[in-house]
Amino acid sequence: MRRIEPEEDTPDTSTKEELIPLYRQILAIRRMEEAAAKAYSQGKIGGFLHLIIGQEAVCVGAVSTLRRDDYVVATYREHGHAYAKGVSSRAILAELYGKKTGVVKGLGGSMHIFDKPTSFLGGYGIVGGHVPIAAGAGFASKYRGDGRVTLCFFGEGSSTIGGFQEGIALAALWKLPVVFICENNLYSMGTPLYRSLAVEDVSMRALAHGMARDRLDGDDVIRVRRRIQIAVDRARESGEPTLVEVRTYRFRGHSMSDPGLYRTREEVDEWKRRDPLAIARRRLVDECGASEEELRAVEDEVKKEIADAIRFAEDSPAADEYRPYVTKESPTGD
Amino acid sequence: MRRIEPEEDTPDTSTKEELIPLYRQILAIRRMEEAAAKAYSQGKIGGFLHLIIGQEAVCVGAVSTLRRDDYVVATYREHGHAYAKGVSSRAILAELYGKKTGVVKGLGGSMHIFDKPTSFLGGYGIVGGHVPIAAGAGFASKYRGDGRVTLCFFGEGSSTIGGFQEGIALAALWKLPVVFICENNLYSMGTPLYRSLAVEDVSMRALAHGMARDRLDGDDVIRVRRRIQIAVDRARESGEPTLVEVRTYRFRGHSMSDPGLYRTREEVDEWKRRDPLAIARRRLVDECGASEEELRAVEDEVKKEIADAIRFAEDSPAADEYRPYVTKESPTGD
Amino acid sequence: MPVISYREALNHAIKEEMERDERVFLMGEEVGYYQGAYKVSQGLLQRFSERRVIDAPIAEMGFAGVGIGAAMVGLRPIIEFMTFNFSLVAIDQIVNNAAKIYQMSAGQFPIPIVFRGPGGPAVQVASQHSQALESMYSHVPGLKVAMPSTPYDAKGLLKSAVRDENPVIFIEGETLYNATGEVPDEEYLIPLGVAEVKRQGSHVSLIAWSAMVPVCMAAAEKLAEEGIEAEVVDPRTLRPLDAKTIVESVQKTGRCVIVEVGWPLCGYGAEVAYQVQRECLDSLDAPIERVTSEDVPMPYALNLEREVIPQVADVVSAVHKVLYLD
Amino acid sequence: MPVISYREALNHAIKEEMERDERVFLMGEEVGYYQGAYKVSQGLLQRFSERRVIDAPIAEMGFAGVGIGAAMVGLRPIIEFMTFNFSLVAIDQIVNNAAKIYQMSAGQFPIPIVFRGPGGPAVQVASQHSQALESMYSHVPGLKVAMPSTPYDAKGLLKSAVRDENPVIFIEGETLYNATGEVPDEEYLIPLGVAEVKRQGSHVSLIAWSAMVPVCMAAAEKLAEEGIEAEVVDPRTLRPLDAKTIVESVQKTGRCVIVEVGWPLCGYGAEVAYQVQRECLDSLDAPIERVTSEDVPMPYALNLEREVIPQVADVVSAVHKVLYLD
Ligand SMILES: Cc1ncc(C[n+]2csc(CCOP(=O)(O)OP(=O)(O)O)c2C)c(N)n1
Ligand SMILES: Cc1ncc(C[n+]2csc(CCOP(=O)(O)OP(=O)(O)O)c2C)c(N)n1
Ligand SMILES: [Mg+2]
Ligand SMILES: [Mg+2]
């Protein structure tokens, strides 16, 4: 298994106060994704459904470094990122169900979550296409001097396409406060790393642009949080971008329609032994002295939250309008 | 002035036999470009005209390493590259005049020289768009195992756009026999290097792809020839691509319509003191023991050639057909 | 005759052409080991090896250009776009290189290449993945554009596309892959630029291609119950367009409804309407009607998507309109 | 009234809007220090500094996307394409992001952005630099498309485009930059979606936009010498289209010729023809005619280029045809 840090690398210690909320988010995302998978198999969710199960520590740890008004730009695999930024499981699941109460009123579905109140600038379906948009949010922050930071997530398979390459080049040239986070889950659909990248170290893409870079394993939410914090601070203080590669793994197929035959059972099992959810829980118990009761309380709460969110999605009215959202009324001309 | 090698760097010695033909080409391209500029100012050539005056040693030195059946793919600033590959000054100038006898029958003009007999795969007008095409020629050579090498020329201003970035990424991933040559003339139209690139060393673009790279000054045709030879040998023998940055300078504006106000007289003069034409001539006399007579003979011959080519262009019949070159007759369907 | 799916028909066409001509290769995302995102290339990697079935990274602009370069020097690439929605990042290569190199080189370098993949809305894949871009590609001289509606047409047209000396944009119906139909074992070709009357009728001409053909056939059945005989004409190739077959049908029926899944403004149907009115003005008993998707990006929710995409009922009421029965 | 050039009119519009609204900025290749490849941004860097007049590297996809991202969070970018030929490498950003984010976000994120630059063939710049792409952009819901033909329209429409809440594709006539016309000193706006009758006439309606308007005006003068009074209607905005004004003209004249510099198949004129025939079938005394460039990539040689692009004589003979005088 391709680790970045040596096995013995021990991440910084944490505290209950810090880790419990992160654990709660990882757990909630896990349960939300599982609930979505179930609903999909029941035909209650349609289209493409890309789950992030196994990768939760990356978005949770990274987004935990942000202020509410900081921006996040993500891909079609963005339920976890949206949840971590503050979008409710109700709004997300109702969207997947195509309901009027969904975060975008049933217009976007799984791939296109957008939420202005939490500065979540979207889930995008065209690989690489969202990277220049993240640079644009960073450009606006620099233009206004508002001190905001933008996080841009993408997969390793998206690190070759022009949109990505031009996006990071402009961010580096103009010194935009953006942290580009590659969630390197070793596969681009059915294509393993070594067949899509000449150099497996995605962070080396930063060298051509003199951009700061980092690489780390994504199984430990605290490690992710610490290391992304450094990049976020750099962006906030010096306005400079960073390219960070985080190694991770998706436990499920690319999307619900992918049986994932291109991976061996052994490989998947090996990664499951590094389940970020289990690791966070273990650290809470072993290092932070959290009691089983405390954790079970969190787990019950999450269980209730997701059950309620599913009920909400089920009971919500169907989506019913789309025509108002094509062209916005303008002062001049329709 | 940004040199790459230290001033005292002395390129390998050469011989009369090697250098005279190269000197002749540099001179012929210089005279051809000057003749084109004159004709343009007389209104005999239209559209955009991008001259390579000052940069001749790069295309001449680089293309001199090729076999006739090797491929060359270039930009809109390609008269010199085409000439070096074997396209006649008659065919080039007649094309600029928009005549039937032009290399592409007056359909392409200055920016679109294509010549199958010399495997010259074209001059392209969309920045970066030709780089994947060069990779494609290399792909075909690998597919067929024909041992051919492809040279792809582009400017430093074209080293950010997606077409370039994707093109080199695929060449590196698939190990295609292509040498990508950046003619870094320090300006992209009116934009100096430092405002278009975060890192001025364009060859660093190779690091992300594990591609071999090199950098050199382009004022000495022998240096260019030696160093490109290494990359061409690598491509031919191991099938691997190389990214080479060659520092050079255009003495004229970006195109005939550009007064070039963004550069100081001093800067231009300083570079003119390193005129590749003068350097080649000096080396012929100082190191290769060429006599003034020999050189004057070459110069007279070139003068005659270009004068004849201009006459040919002037006297040739106007372009007269374009409809046959839209869709090719095919076995099935129109 | 054997009955196979549209997907299999495409697969057989590629396989046969690759067997027939060593210069033909298939390149695209997931076409090899994954057997194709829509399984059109099932088995081809095993049959032809990595040399001729090439998995590409996500870089459409790059591998589209690689195909064009390879075609310039004599190979005959089939480039798969996982869907044509993703062709927009490569459209510069298609419009400025593939379509123009034969002209820019004054005929020295033909570009025999096929860009293929599914197009048009699937089901609930939302706005970025639900687009019908045929009118954009049909606009460009130097290209050919084919859009088969049946397994038989899919195989015959794709084989012709691979043998064509020009770049062919071959748009498959994403919702047609499982459609089945008779396809002979013997080899056959369908020339590009020849329309087919899919159903004879005397009262109205329905012009449709790709996924809208089955919709029109269903509408024709419904209309038949009312005693209205609709003729269904499938151009099959949008560039070049076989206007003659369409015009003859309209001259016979005097009424024309053009059905497409794309957006209305500047949709391909507008071109058909222009050509029909120019040739048939005197024989038209009613203005030409068009049925298209609504002029909106596609919503995700199934109920809304159905409202946006042309349904059988929409075609029926358009026919009623041109027959002044509404 | 002061007489200024089309180029100056655009320059003034940008300057006034940047003065009026701090959120407006201009980004593109050579727009700053170089003062614009076509000098449209002359003086703006000096007036507004590097912060608001940004020279971008050659990365259209990248800086188009930067503009979209900036618009999402409240800025109002003007993105210049050196020419629209180069917009093809950025069209995915325009079609899949700019046009759809307002919809994908269910109205949370409007995208007030202008993509502007010259379009259509210039003189002898050959096939990759001589394209009229308006029908491609007009096809896409979520976008607006404006194409002014005079200095007055250029200024009034560009100011409206900058104030519009939606992405506007603003295509300038590359051959019109030096055209002059009266432009008042006082501020004015021309709403998007309103056509203008540039010349009154009763015998035939000529529909044209951008660089084809002056061609039609010249043709109208010629025709007047024969006693034929042509009405020239300039839609000015192609999306949304003011079909009403066009239809009223054709209902009056009974004859319609649509003139565009783009390619024929799926050109914007086909859409106009469809809408006209639908509303005017009974009042049409002749089939609608279109005059377009030939269906070929543009050749370089001047004599050939002239053959390909619509000339005054082509418009005149099309009018003769619809008047049955040929
Ligand atoms: C331009 C483009 N090409 C192809 C696709 C189809 N596609 C969607 S996701 C995907 C794989 C992306 O892999 P990666 O970037 O590693 O992200 P992951 O799915 O592993 O999170 C592909 C090929 C697309 N959406 N956009
Ligand atoms: C995609 C695209 N954008 C913009 C242009 C306009 N343009 C033509 S050449 C050029 C500058 C290129 O500079 P560089 O790559 O350094 O090459 P040089 O001209 O210096 O040889 C630009 C911006 C273009 N042709 N294509
Ligand atoms: Mg991945
Ligand atoms: Mg340069």
Side-chain angles (χ1 to χ4, degrees), chain A residues 76-77 125-127 155-158 161 185 187-189 250 254, chain C residues 29 58 60 82 86 89 129:
Chain A
Y76 46 84
R77 195 184 299 284
I126 307 298
V127 158
E156 87 292 342
S158 308
I161 197 162
N185 59 11
Y187 292 86
S188 165
M189 281 186 86
R250 57 169 158 74
H254 168 72
Chain C
E29 291 151 13
I58 309 170
E60 283 80 359
M82 194 175 281
F86 314 139
V89 293
H129 285 74

PDB file of all heavy atoms in Angstrom, chain A residues 76-77 125-127 155-158 161 185 187-189 250 254, chain C residues 29 58 60 82 86 89 129, ligand 1:
ATOM      1  N   TYR A  76     -17.967  16.644  -8.094  1.00  0.00           N
ATOM      2  CA  TYR A  76     -19.223  15.888  -8.036  1.00  0.00           C
ATOM      3  C   TYR A  76     -19.235  14.932  -6.840  1.00  0.00           C
ATOM      4  O   TYR A  76     -20.247  14.319  -6.557  1.00  0.00           O
ATOM      5  CB  TYR A  76     -19.349  15.065  -9.336  1.00  0.00           C
ATOM      6  CG  TYR A  76     -18.030  14.393  -9.587  1.00  0.00           C
ATOM      7  CD1 TYR A  76     -17.720  13.193  -8.964  1.00  0.00           C
ATOM      8  CD2 TYR A  76     -17.041  15.036 -10.321  1.00  0.00           C
ATOM      9  CE1 TYR A  76     -16.459  12.638  -9.082  1.00  0.00           C
ATOM     10  CE2 TYR A  76     -15.780  14.481 -10.441  1.00  0.00           C
ATOM     11  CZ  TYR A  76     -15.502  13.292  -9.828  1.00  0.00           C
ATOM     12  OH  TYR A  76     -14.253  12.751  -9.920  1.00  0.00           O
ATOM     13  N   ARG A  77     -18.088  14.785  -6.191  1.00  0.00           N
ATOM     14  CA  ARG A  77     -18.014  13.880  -5.031  1.00  0.00           C
ATOM     15  C   ARG A  77     -17.959  14.757  -3.785  1.00  0.00           C
ATOM     16  O   ARG A  77     -17.013  14.718  -3.009  1.00  0.00           O
ATOM     17  CB  ARG A  77     -16.754  13.007  -5.134  1.00  0.00           C
ATOM     18  CG  ARG A  77     -16.746  11.796  -4.193  1.00  0.00           C
ATOM     19  CD  ARG A  77     -15.434  11.024  -4.274  1.00  0.00           C
ATOM     20  NE  ARG A  77     -15.175  10.484  -5.590  1.00  0.00           N
ATOM     21  CZ  ARG A  77     -15.787   9.415  -6.097  1.00  0.00           C
ATOM     22  NH1 ARG A  77     -16.693   8.782  -5.365  1.00  0.00           N
ATOM     23  NH2 ARG A  77     -15.503   8.992  -7.305  1.00  0.00           N
ATOM     24  N   GLY A 125     -19.352  19.098 -12.240  1.00  0.00           N
ATOM     25  CA  GLY A 125     -19.319  17.814 -12.924  1.00  0.00           C
ATOM     26  C   GLY A 125     -18.285  17.674 -14.019  1.00  0.00           C
ATOM     27  O   GLY A 125     -18.023  16.569 -14.484  1.00  0.00           O
ATOM     28  N   ILE A 126     -17.708  18.773 -14.443  1.00  0.00           N
ATOM     29  CA  ILE A 126     -16.712  18.699 -15.511  1.00  0.00           C
ATOM     30  C   ILE A 126     -15.331  18.695 -14.863  1.00  0.00           C
ATOM     31  O   ILE A 126     -14.951  19.658 -14.183  1.00  0.00           O
ATOM     32  CB  ILE A 126     -16.838  19.895 -16.479  1.00  0.00           C
ATOM     33  CG1 ILE A 126     -18.274  20.024 -16.997  1.00  0.00           C
ATOM     34  CG2 ILE A 126     -15.835  19.753 -17.626  1.00  0.00           C
ATOM     35  CD1 ILE A 126     -18.774  18.835 -17.797  1.00  0.00           C
ATOM     36  N   VAL A 127     -14.609  17.600 -15.062  1.00  0.00           N
ATOM     37  CA  VAL A 127     -13.305  17.469 -14.410  1.00  0.00           C
ATOM     38  C   VAL A 127     -12.411  18.674 -14.728  1.00  0.00           C
ATOM     39  O   VAL A 127     -12.255  19.055 -15.881  1.00  0.00           O
ATOM     40  CB  VAL A 127     -12.623  16.154 -14.846  1.00  0.00           C
ATOM     41  CG1 VAL A 127     -11.119  16.220 -14.653  1.00  0.00           C
ATOM     42  CG2 VAL A 127     -13.210  14.988 -14.055  1.00  0.00           C
ATOM     43  N   GLY A 155      -9.622  15.422  -7.681  1.00  0.00           N
ATOM     44  CA  GLY A 155      -8.991  14.105  -7.619  1.00  0.00           C
ATOM     45  C   GLY A 155      -7.697  14.065  -8.401  1.00  0.00           C
ATOM     46  O   GLY A 155      -7.438  14.942  -9.225  1.00  0.00           O
ATOM     47  N   GLU A 156      -6.900  13.047  -8.138  1.00  0.00           N
ATOM     48  CA  GLU A 156      -5.603  12.949  -8.838  1.00  0.00           C
ATOM     49  C   GLU A 156      -5.809  12.776 -10.337  1.00  0.00           C
ATOM     50  O   GLU A 156      -4.998  13.244 -11.134  1.00  0.00           O
ATOM     51  CB  GLU A 156      -4.759  11.820  -8.247  1.00  0.00           C
ATOM     52  CG  GLU A 156      -4.976  10.438  -8.834  1.00  0.00           C
ATOM     53  CD  GLU A 156      -6.339   9.848  -8.531  1.00  0.00           C
ATOM     54  OE1 GLU A 156      -7.024  10.321  -7.609  1.00  0.00           O
ATOM     55  OE2 GLU A 156      -6.733   8.903  -9.255  1.00  0.00           O
ATOM     56  N   GLY A 157      -6.912  12.154 -10.717  1.00  0.00           N
ATOM     57  CA  GLY A 157      -7.174  11.988 -12.143  1.00  0.00           C
ATOM     58  C   GLY A 157      -7.474  13.303 -12.836  1.00  0.00           C
ATOM     59  O   GLY A 157      -7.453  13.401 -14.055  1.00  0.00           O
ATOM     60  N   SER A 158      -7.741  14.313 -12.033  1.00  0.00           N
ATOM     61  CA  SER A 158      -8.065  15.638 -12.580  1.00  0.00           C
ATOM     62  C   SER A 158      -6.862  16.561 -12.588  1.00  0.00           C
ATOM     63  O   SER A 158      -7.008  17.765 -12.813  1.00  0.00           O
ATOM     64  CB  SER A 158      -9.180  16.262 -11.743  1.00  0.00           C
ATOM     65  OG  SER A 158     -10.260  15.365 -11.635  1.00  0.00           O
ATOM     66  N   ILE A 161      -5.680  17.647 -16.674  1.00  0.00           N
ATOM     67  CA  ILE A 161      -6.507  18.408 -17.605  1.00  0.00           C
ATOM     68  C   ILE A 161      -6.211  19.917 -17.555  1.00  0.00           C
ATOM     69  O   ILE A 161      -5.817  20.456 -16.511  1.00  0.00           O
ATOM     70  CB  ILE A 161      -7.998  18.111 -17.330  1.00  0.00           C
ATOM     71  CG1 ILE A 161      -8.858  18.535 -18.526  1.00  0.00           C
ATOM     72  CG2 ILE A 161      -8.466  18.755 -16.015  1.00  0.00           C
ATOM     73  CD1 ILE A 161     -10.242  17.895 -18.538  1.00  0.00           C
ATOM     74  N   ASN A 185      -7.043   9.361  -4.358  1.00  0.00           N
ATOM     75  CA  ASN A 185      -7.584   8.068  -3.895  1.00  0.00           C
ATOM     76  C   ASN A 185      -7.101   6.925  -4.779  1.00  0.00           C
ATOM     77  O   ASN A 185      -7.717   5.857  -4.812  1.00  0.00           O
ATOM     78  CB  ASN A 185      -9.113   8.132  -3.832  1.00  0.00           C
ATOM     79  CG  ASN A 185      -9.723   8.463  -5.169  1.00  0.00           C
ATOM     80  OD1 ASN A 185      -9.044   8.455  -6.198  1.00  0.00           O
ATOM     81  ND2 ASN A 185     -11.006   8.772  -5.170  1.00  0.00           N
ATOM     82  N   TYR A 187      -7.288   6.073  -7.712  1.00  0.00           N
ATOM     83  CA  TYR A 187      -8.017   5.677  -8.912  1.00  0.00           C
ATOM     84  C   TYR A 187      -8.798   6.834  -9.506  1.00  0.00           C
ATOM     85  O   TYR A 187      -9.350   7.661  -8.799  1.00  0.00           O
ATOM     86  CB  TYR A 187      -8.995   4.527  -8.607  1.00  0.00           C
ATOM     87  CG  TYR A 187      -8.286   3.237  -8.280  1.00  0.00           C
ATOM     88  CD1 TYR A 187      -7.879   2.974  -6.981  1.00  0.00           C
ATOM     89  CD2 TYR A 187      -7.980   2.322  -9.283  1.00  0.00           C
ATOM     90  CE1 TYR A 187      -7.186   1.814  -6.676  1.00  0.00           C
ATOM     91  CE2 TYR A 187      -7.293   1.152  -8.981  1.00  0.00           C
ATOM     92  CZ  TYR A 187      -6.900   0.899  -7.684  1.00  0.00           C
ATOM     93  OH  TYR A 187      -6.211  -0.243  -7.395  1.00  0.00           O
ATOM     94  N   SER A 188      -8.823   6.844 -10.810  1.00  0.00           N
ATOM     95  CA  SER A 188      -9.665   7.746 -11.569  1.00  0.00           C
ATOM     96  C   SER A 188     -10.646   6.824 -12.287  1.00  0.00           C
ATOM     97  O   SER A 188     -10.250   6.108 -13.217  1.00  0.00           O
ATOM     98  CB  SER A 188      -8.780   8.491 -12.571  1.00  0.00           C
ATOM     99  OG  SER A 188      -9.569   9.118 -13.546  1.00  0.00           O
ATOM    100  N   MET A 189     -11.845   6.744 -11.783  1.00  0.00           N
ATOM    101  CA  MET A 189     -12.768   5.682 -12.196  1.00  0.00           C
ATOM    102  C   MET A 189     -12.017   4.352 -12.082  1.00  0.00           C
ATOM    103  O   MET A 189     -11.556   4.004 -11.003  1.00  0.00           O
ATOM    104  CB  MET A 189     -13.323   5.927 -13.597  1.00  0.00           C
ATOM    105  CG  MET A 189     -14.441   6.943 -13.578  1.00  0.00           C
ATOM    106  SD  MET A 189     -15.272   7.183 -15.149  1.00  0.00           S
ATOM    107  CE  MET A 189     -16.488   5.894 -15.126  1.00  0.00           C
ATOM    108  N   ARG A 250     -11.149   5.389  -1.663  1.00  0.00           N
ATOM    109  CA  ARG A 250     -12.605   5.260  -1.553  1.00  0.00           C
ATOM    110  C   ARG A 250     -12.936   3.789  -1.398  1.00  0.00           C
ATOM    111  O   ARG A 250     -12.431   2.954  -2.138  1.00  0.00           O
ATOM    112  CB  ARG A 250     -13.332   5.890  -2.736  1.00  0.00           C
ATOM    113  CG  ARG A 250     -12.965   5.386  -4.109  1.00  0.00           C
ATOM    114  CD  ARG A 250     -13.933   5.894  -5.179  1.00  0.00           C
ATOM    115  NE  ARG A 250     -13.360   5.862  -6.513  1.00  0.00           N
ATOM    116  CZ  ARG A 250     -13.163   4.767  -7.236  1.00  0.00           C
ATOM    117  NH1 ARG A 250     -13.485   3.579  -6.746  1.00  0.00           N
ATOM    118  NH2 ARG A 250     -12.650   4.833  -8.451  1.00  0.00           N
ATOM    119  N   HIS A 254     -16.459   3.968  -8.039  1.00  0.00           N
ATOM    120  CA  HIS A 254     -16.416   5.367  -8.458  1.00  0.00           C
ATOM    121  C   HIS A 254     -17.781   6.026  -8.263  1.00  0.00           C
ATOM    122  O   HIS A 254     -17.897   7.111  -7.732  1.00  0.00           O
ATOM    123  CB  HIS A 254     -16.005   5.455  -9.930  1.00  0.00           C
ATOM    124  CG  HIS A 254     -16.201   6.814 -10.507  1.00  0.00           C
ATOM    125  ND1 HIS A 254     -15.386   7.866 -10.169  1.00  0.00           N
ATOM    126  CD2 HIS A 254     -17.140   7.301 -11.354  1.00  0.00           C
ATOM    127  CE1 HIS A 254     -15.810   8.947 -10.813  1.00  0.00           C
ATOM    128  NE2 HIS A 254     -16.859   8.636 -11.524  1.00  0.00           N
TER     129      HIS A 254
ATOM    130  N   GLU C  29     -11.048   7.601 -22.428  1.00  0.00           N
ATOM    131  CA  GLU C  29     -11.018   7.300 -21.000  1.00  0.00           C
ATOM    132  C   GLU C  29     -11.754   6.005 -20.724  1.00  0.00           C
ATOM    133  O   GLU C  29     -12.891   5.837 -21.174  1.00  0.00           O
ATOM    134  CB  GLU C  29     -11.664   8.438 -20.219  1.00  0.00           C
ATOM    135  CG  GLU C  29     -10.830   9.718 -20.264  1.00  0.00           C
ATOM    136  CD  GLU C  29     -11.687  10.960 -20.141  1.00  0.00           C
ATOM    137  OE1 GLU C  29     -12.873  10.857 -19.777  1.00  0.00           O
ATOM    138  OE2 GLU C  29     -11.175  12.052 -20.449  1.00  0.00           O
ATOM    139  N   ILE C  58      -7.586  11.817 -18.111  1.00  0.00           N
ATOM    140  CA  ILE C  58      -8.643  12.797 -18.370  1.00  0.00           C
ATOM    141  C   ILE C  58      -8.004  14.050 -18.943  1.00  0.00           C
ATOM    142  O   ILE C  58      -7.491  14.901 -18.219  1.00  0.00           O
ATOM    143  CB  ILE C  58      -9.406  13.138 -17.087  1.00  0.00           C
ATOM    144  CG1 ILE C  58      -9.847  11.849 -16.400  1.00  0.00           C
ATOM    145  CG2 ILE C  58     -10.634  13.998 -17.427  1.00  0.00           C
ATOM    146  CD1 ILE C  58     -10.403  12.079 -15.013  1.00  0.00           C
ATOM    147  N   GLU C  60      -9.150  15.516 -22.505  1.00  0.00           N
ATOM    148  CA  GLU C  60      -9.805  15.427 -23.812  1.00  0.00           C
ATOM    149  C   GLU C  60      -9.115  16.270 -24.874  1.00  0.00           C
ATOM    150  O   GLU C  60      -8.966  15.851 -26.021  1.00  0.00           O
ATOM    151  CB  GLU C  60     -11.272  15.852 -23.706  1.00  0.00           C
ATOM    152  CG  GLU C  60     -12.184  14.796 -23.084  1.00  0.00           C
ATOM    153  CD  GLU C  60     -12.119  14.749 -21.583  1.00  0.00           C
ATOM    154  OE1 GLU C  60     -11.362  15.519 -20.965  1.00  0.00           O
ATOM    155  OE2 GLU C  60     -12.842  13.919 -20.989  1.00  0.00           O
ATOM    156  N   MET C  82     -16.125  10.146 -23.272  1.00  0.00           N
ATOM    157  CA  MET C  82     -16.976   9.384 -22.352  1.00  0.00           C
ATOM    158  C   MET C  82     -18.414   9.838 -22.526  1.00  0.00           C
ATOM    159  O   MET C  82     -19.333   9.014 -22.539  1.00  0.00           O
ATOM    160  CB  MET C  82     -16.504   9.546 -20.922  1.00  0.00           C
ATOM    161  CG  MET C  82     -17.101   8.539 -19.975  1.00  0.00           C
ATOM    162  SD  MET C  82     -16.416   8.667 -18.333  1.00  0.00           S
ATOM    163  CE  MET C  82     -14.855   7.827 -18.552  1.00  0.00           C
ATOM    164  N   PHE C  86     -18.238  16.302 -22.490  1.00  0.00           N
ATOM    165  CA  PHE C  86     -16.822  16.546 -22.206  1.00  0.00           C
ATOM    166  C   PHE C  86     -16.058  16.931 -23.458  1.00  0.00           C
ATOM    167  O   PHE C  86     -14.874  17.264 -23.390  1.00  0.00           O
ATOM    168  CB  PHE C  86     -16.195  15.317 -21.556  1.00  0.00           C
ATOM    169  CG  PHE C  86     -17.029  14.729 -20.458  1.00  0.00           C
ATOM    170  CD1 PHE C  86     -17.164  13.358 -20.313  1.00  0.00           C
ATOM    171  CD2 PHE C  86     -17.710  15.557 -19.573  1.00  0.00           C
ATOM    172  CE1 PHE C  86     -17.952  12.819 -19.317  1.00  0.00           C
ATOM    173  CE2 PHE C  86     -18.501  15.022 -18.574  1.00  0.00           C
ATOM    174  CZ  PHE C  86     -18.634  13.649 -18.436  1.00  0.00           C
ATOM    175  N   VAL C  89     -14.316  20.687 -23.832  1.00  0.00           N
ATOM    176  CA  VAL C  89     -12.940  21.081 -23.509  1.00  0.00           C
ATOM    177  C   VAL C  89     -11.995  20.732 -24.665  1.00  0.00           C
ATOM    178  O   VAL C  89     -10.836  21.133 -24.657  1.00  0.00           O
ATOM    179  CB  VAL C  89     -12.425  20.447 -22.189  1.00  0.00           C
ATOM    180  CG1 VAL C  89     -13.178  21.003 -20.992  1.00  0.00           C
ATOM    181  CG2 VAL C  89     -12.499  18.933 -22.237  1.00  0.00           C
ATOM    182  N   HIS C 129     -24.295  17.456 -17.603  1.00  0.00           N
ATOM    183  CA  HIS C 129     -24.184  16.160 -18.275  1.00  0.00           C
ATOM    184  C   HIS C 129     -25.363  15.859 -19.199  1.00  0.00           C
ATOM    185  O   HIS C 129     -25.538  14.711 -19.615  1.00  0.00           O
ATOM    186  CB  HIS C 129     -24.086  15.034 -17.238  1.00  0.00           C
ATOM    187  CG  HIS C 129     -22.757  14.923 -16.568  1.00  0.00           C
ATOM    188  ND1 HIS C 129     -22.330  15.811 -15.618  1.00  0.00           N
ATOM    189  CD2 HIS C 129     -21.751  14.029 -16.721  1.00  0.00           C
ATOM    190  CE1 HIS C 129     -21.130  15.454 -15.194  1.00  0.00           C
ATOM    191  NE2 HIS C 129     -20.755  14.388 -15.846  1.00  0.00           N
TER     192      HIS C 129
HETATM  193  C1  LIG E   1     -13.783  16.709 -18.716  1.00  0.00           C
HETATM  194  C2  LIG E   1     -14.341  15.457 -18.149  1.00  0.00           C
HETATM  195  N1  LIG E   1     -13.958  14.258 -18.649  1.00  0.00           N
HETATM  196  C3  LIG E   1     -14.444  13.110 -18.162  1.00  0.00           C
HETATM  197  C4  LIG E   1     -15.354  13.113 -17.135  1.00  0.00           C
HETATM  198  C5  LIG E   1     -15.939  11.779 -16.592  1.00  0.00           C
HETATM  199  N2  LIG E   1     -15.402  11.536 -15.236  1.00  0.00           N
HETATM  200  C6  LIG E   1     -16.082  11.928 -14.144  1.00  0.00           C
HETATM  201  S1  LIG E   1     -15.222  11.596 -12.744  1.00  0.00           S
HETATM  202  C7  LIG E   1     -13.955  10.910 -13.575  1.00  0.00           C
HETATM  203  C8  LIG E   1     -12.774  10.370 -12.817  1.00  0.00           C
HETATM  204  C9  LIG E   1     -12.117  11.408 -11.966  1.00  0.00           C
HETATM  205  O1  LIG E   1     -11.112  10.823 -11.171  1.00  0.00           O
HETATM  206  P1  LIG E   1     -10.404  11.670 -10.034  1.00  0.00           P
HETATM  207  O2  LIG E   1     -10.082  13.027 -10.557  1.00  0.00           O
HETATM  208  O3  LIG E   1      -9.263  10.878  -9.517  1.00  0.00           O
HETATM  209  O4  LIG E   1     -11.500  11.894  -8.920  1.00  0.00           O
HETATM  210  P2  LIG E   1     -12.216  10.765  -8.063  1.00  0.00           P
HETATM  211  O5  LIG E   1     -13.458  10.364  -8.823  1.00  0.00           O
HETATM  212  O6  LIG E   1     -11.254   9.639  -7.884  1.00  0.00           O
HETATM  213  O7  LIG E   1     -12.582  11.417  -6.762  1.00  0.00           O
HETATM  214  C10 LIG E   1     -14.198  10.943 -14.949  1.00  0.00           C
HETATM  215  C11 LIG E   1     -13.293  10.415 -15.975  1.00  0.00           C
HETATM  216  C12 LIG E   1     -15.760  14.372 -16.642  1.00  0.00           C
HETATM  217  N3  LIG E   1     -16.675  14.472 -15.670  1.00  0.00           N
HETATM  218  N4  LIG E   1     -15.234  15.511 -17.157  1.00  0.00           N
END
